[in-house]
Amino acid sequence: GSGFDYRRPRMASGFGTRAPVGRCFPVYREFAECISEKSGSPSEKAAACAELREDYVECLHHKKEITRLNALSDERARKIKAGEPVPSTLTEDAKSGTFRLPFTNVKS
């Protein structure tokens, strides 16, 4: 056999495209360390490290983040359609000059 185990979590490399370390590599390392430290069957290891795996997958794909942003966008659109008040967006605040970057000397 090739010695490659598809059940073992792997990452292509630890190198990032714009930095020495990939964006999700630290999260992957935590997950890989959890798997290696646990004893038991593969399914027991997976269950014990499920939250770290979930964090790693979210770091890679941003599915929860995108779902949340879509829900916020849908709610904003619903409120606008219903004529309910909505807070201004950061883009609107920046254009109007009311947006301030914290801890900077940037003035609008």
Tab-separated table of all heavy atoms in Angstrom, residues 37-38 40 88:
chain	number	residue	atom	x	y	z
A	37	GLU	N	-3.680	12.779	20.277
A	37	GLU	CA	-3.615	12.587	21.726
A	37	GLU	C	-4.692	11.644	22.254
A	37	GLU	O	-4.532	11.045	23.309
A	37	GLU	CB	-3.749	13.930	22.446
A	37	GLU	CG	-2.548	14.828	22.255
A	37	GLU	CD	-2.787	16.238	22.780
A	37	GLU	OE1	-3.913	16.536	23.238
A	37	GLU	OE2	-1.847	17.052	22.712
A	38	LYS	N	-5.796	11.518	21.540
A	38	LYS	CA	-6.913	10.689	22.009
A	38	LYS	C	-6.627	9.233	21.726
A	38	LYS	O	-5.957	8.877	20.776
A	38	LYS	CB	-8.231	11.094	21.327
A	38	LYS	CG	-8.633	12.529	21.554
A	38	LYS	CD	-8.929	12.801	23.001
A	38	LYS	CE	-9.289	14.265	23.212
A	38	LYS	NZ	-9.331	14.648	24.581
A	40	GLY	N	-8.470	5.271	21.422
A	40	GLY	CA	-9.740	4.660	21.069
A	40	GLY	C	-9.861	4.470	19.578
A	40	GLY	O	-8.907	4.655	18.818
A	88	SER	N	-28.072	52.198	9.727
A	88	SER	CA	-27.280	52.442	8.527
A	88	SER	C	-26.147	51.426	8.441
A	88	SER	O	-25.704	50.866	9.448
A	88	SER	CB	-26.713	53.864	8.547
A	88	SER	OG	-25.920	54.052	9.699
